[in-house]
Amino acid sequence: MNQHTPEQPADTVARLRATFRSGRTKPVEWRTAQLRRLREMLTTDGADLAAALHADLGKSSTEAFRTEIDFTVREIDHTLEHLEGWLHPESAPVPTHLGADATAWTQYDPLGVVLVIAPWNYPAQLLLTPLLGALAAGNAVVVKPSEMAPATSTALARMLPQYLDTDAVAVVEGGIPETTALLAERFDHIFYTGNGAVGRIVMRAAAEHLTPVTLELGGKSPAFVDGDADLSVVADRLVRGKFLNAGQTCVAPDYVLTDPATARALEPLFAKAVEALYGSEPQTSAEYGRIVNERHFDRLVGLLDSGRVVTGGDSDRAAKYIAPTVLADVDPKAPVMREEIFGPVLPIVTVSGLDEAIEFINDRDKPLAFYVFTDSDTTRRRLAAETSSGGLGFGLPLAHLTVSDLPFGGVGESGMGNYHGRYSIETFSHRKAILAKPLA
Ligand code: NAD
């Protein structure tokens, strides 16, 4: 390929489609070889990738490895261990009218050329995990990193071609014009992670070609805290989940929903938990991240006066720093409750009890995650049965997405489709129905 004239999207897709048509991506040996190469990239160049994540988001090396690099390595290892088993044809019972000699089964066919569009908040994990799933399913893949995490985008565009089959994997960097041009092409699946407004643009473009989509979106993920729970454990776990990556996590607890007495008891415990994690001056903590850009910084600062500050509240625009902040006495109509926060601000909203909490959640868009802190089995059962969310976490925020055997995805406004582990194979394959009847 000519180094000086970037390949046009139509040419990239045609090139990858030719590779797919040649059959090269189908054998399981090719798939596992790609996964092993990707693993090698992460172990060999992991420190460079961590440096890029630090440049983009002030992510500490510990956090970069834990939530992006090692996370992806674990997902690769899980896939390598189970892939052949997952791909095994599955037999189906045949009705008697077809005769005793008829057999039926399903087989996973790769889809073809897949487009993966990634966001900026976990710019490595959220590009590489769909990529490895699409490769494991035997597809050729175009990946589009987020232009809002430019250092990571550059690093991935440099590294991926060094390790993977460049006839089957292409990295296209850029922003809206480049993504729009890509979306005009015909893909066999589009996997988009980001916000719902762009999700709609992606789905409209996909409709032109009847291309199926997976939309991994966001929203306001509530955390319900019951008065019977051990509140210092709750405060500690919520603070860890909320302020990871400075709150810029799609499954971060967005707000706390509890009764007034529990809210009062939680307030000092939140302040204590923040101090235990980041010290009395979080701005000096190497473990605490930064806001991705000035636009998001200004948006988040505008949410800081939505309630009484329990801890935090200060910010530094030049450093894109916003303190881990907890707000109490927050009105459900306050600005902080009108949009997904996607930053280090945790509002506490009070309800009279469980019934009102269920009403509150069901009155709003279906969240990507819902977290419940209670010792009561009855309360757990009721919340599981009476609310709908992409995932449900009892006692621990975020962790469900680290379980490779669980599907990760949203419902309603928080998205459609899911992935991770064998669910990535489901997403990036067609399950073909096969019936066979002997001729004699
Ligand atoms: P973003 O701005 O990086 O956008 C995501 C991608 O969409 C980028 O690659 C970008 O280039 C592309 N894009 C932006 N505008 C476009 C347009 N007009 N046309 C075509 N493509 C366009 O990321 P974001 O949307 O700010 O990400 C934050 C949102 O993503 C939050 O709502 C968050 O909850 C959600 N999110 C969800 C998950 C998940 O797994 N469900 C993970 C992370 C983030």
Side-chain angles (χ1 to χ4, degrees):
M1 202 198 322
N2 187 328
Q3 290 278 310
H4 303 289
T5 33
E7 196 177 37
Q8 293 303 305
D11 299 331
T12 307
V13 176
R15 188 165 63 77
L16 266 54
R17 193 169 296 289
T19 307
F20 180 74
R21 289 276 297 275
S22 77
R24 171 142 124 220
T25 65
K26 288 186 179 171
V28 75
E29 294 75 20
W30 180 89
R31 308 181 193 193
T32 54
Q34 296 306 304
L35 263 54
R36 286 202 185 86
R37 292 287 289 160
L38 193 56
R39 191 185 198 288
E40 195 184 329
M41 179 188 108
L42 292 167
T43 47
T44 310
D45 293 341
D48 286 356
L49 203 50
L53 291 162
H54 187 265
D56 286 330
L57 291 149
K59 245 178 231 205
S60 73
S61 175
T62 322
E63 195 174 308
F65 273 92
R66 185 157 66 94
T67 65
E68 306 226 37
I69 299 161
D70 292 346
F71 178 99
T72 310
V73 169
R74 264 208 323 277
E75 185 72 16
I76 291 173
D77 289 345
H78 182 74
T79 306
L80 284 172
E81 189 182 338
H82 298 287
L83 184 59
E84 293 208 31
W86 292 335
L87 293 174
H88 231 265
E90 201 176 304
S91 68
V94 176
T96 47
H97 72 263
L98 291 172
D101 57 352
T103 49
W105 68 96
T106 57
Q107 135 185 334
Y108 286 110
D109 283 350
L111 293 171
V113 184
V114 167
L115 173 63
V116 173
I117 305 175
W120 52 265
N121 62 331
Y122 290 83
Q125 186 218 126
L126 295 173
L127 180 129
L128 299 175
T129 310
L131 168 64
L132 79 90
L135 291 173
N139 298 283
V141 191
V142 177
V143 288
K144 214 296 288 172
S146 176
E147 73 281 15
M148 282 168 68
T152 310
S153 176
T154 307
L156 290 170
R158 175 173 56 79
M159 290 172 190
L160 286 168
Q162 288 170 14
Y163 288 87
L164 299 182
D165 183 342
T166 52
D167 290 330
V169 178
V171 185
V172 175
E173 288 192 86
I176 296 175
E178 292 78 4
T179 318
T180 306
L182 275 174
L183 286 171
E185 297 303 318
R186 186 171 76 76
F187 289 93
D188 299 287
H189 193 92
I190 301 177
F191 188 102
Y192 168 80
T193 305
N195 68 74
V198 177
R200 285 167 168 80
I201 295 174
V202 168
M203 200 167 169
R204 254 182 240 123
E208 281 301 311
H209 301 288
L210 276 186
T211 297
V213 293
T214 302
L215 301 179
E216 295 280 341
L217 310 178
K220 291 181 86 61
S221 297
F224 173 76
V225 183
D226 204 353
D228 71 358
D230 180 334
L231 297 184
S232 39
V233 173
V234 173
D236 176 65
R237 292 188 186 174
L238 276 172
V239 159
R240 283 175 192 278
K242 175 71 185 191
F243 299 115
L244 184 79
N245 200 25
Q248 301 162 113
T249 302
C250 55
V251 284
D254 188 274
Y255 62 96
V256 174
L257 204 54
T258 192
D259 62 84
T262 309
R264 271 193 304 281
L266 274 171
E267 287 180 24
L269 298 173
F270 277 136
K272 221 171 116 187
V274 169
E275 187 167 349
L277 197 57
Y278 300 115
S280 53
E281 287 179 50
Q283 190 163 8
T284 61
S285 165
E287 290 306 314
Y288 187 62
R290 294 294 179 266
I291 305 308
V292 66
N293 57 28
E294 278 81 11
R295 183 168 64 79
H296 278 286
F297 176 91
D298 293 340
R299 177 183 67 78
L300 288 162
V301 166
L303 304 179
L304 291 174
D305 56 7
S306 288
R308 173 168 54 81
V309 173
V310 170
T311 184
D314 50 312
S315 60
D316 173 353
R317 194 171 195 269
K320 287 181 278 185
Y321 164 80
I322 296 180
T325 299
V326 178
L327 300 176
D329 306 333
V330 175
D331 188 289
K333 294 196 176 63
V336 77
M337 289 303 292
R338 280 194 227 129
E339 59 183 87
E340 179 183 0
I341 299 167
F342 220 54
V345 186
L346 182 64
I348 309 175
V349 175
T350 56
V351 284
S352 57
L354 184 61
D355 289 331
E356 203 181 315
I358 292 172
E359 285 284 298
F360 192 96
I361 292 161
N362 291 341
D363 275 348
R364 287 162 176 74
D365 290 336
K366 291 178 183 175
L368 183 58
F370 177 31
Y371 303 114
V372 175
F373 298 86
T374 181
D375 279 337
S376 158
D377 283 342
T378 316
T379 302
R380 285 180 181 217
R381 269 199 300 274
R382 275 201 63 191
L383 287 168
E386 296 177 36
T387 66
S388 175
S389 55
L392 175 59
F394 289 125
L396 195 57
L398 274 50
H400 61 290
L401 81 84
T402 66
V403 181
S404 294
D405 284 318
L406 285 177
F408 177 62
V411 56
E413 281 287 323
S414 56
M416 61 183 71
N418 51 57
Y419 72 131
H420 286 180
R422 70 185 167 92
Y423 298 99
S424 293
I425 304 300
E426 299 275 351
T427 288
F428 293 115
S429 309
H430 166 62
R431 200 194 263 239
K432 185 157 70 186
I434 304 177
L435 173 85
K437 173 90 175 162
L439 291 176

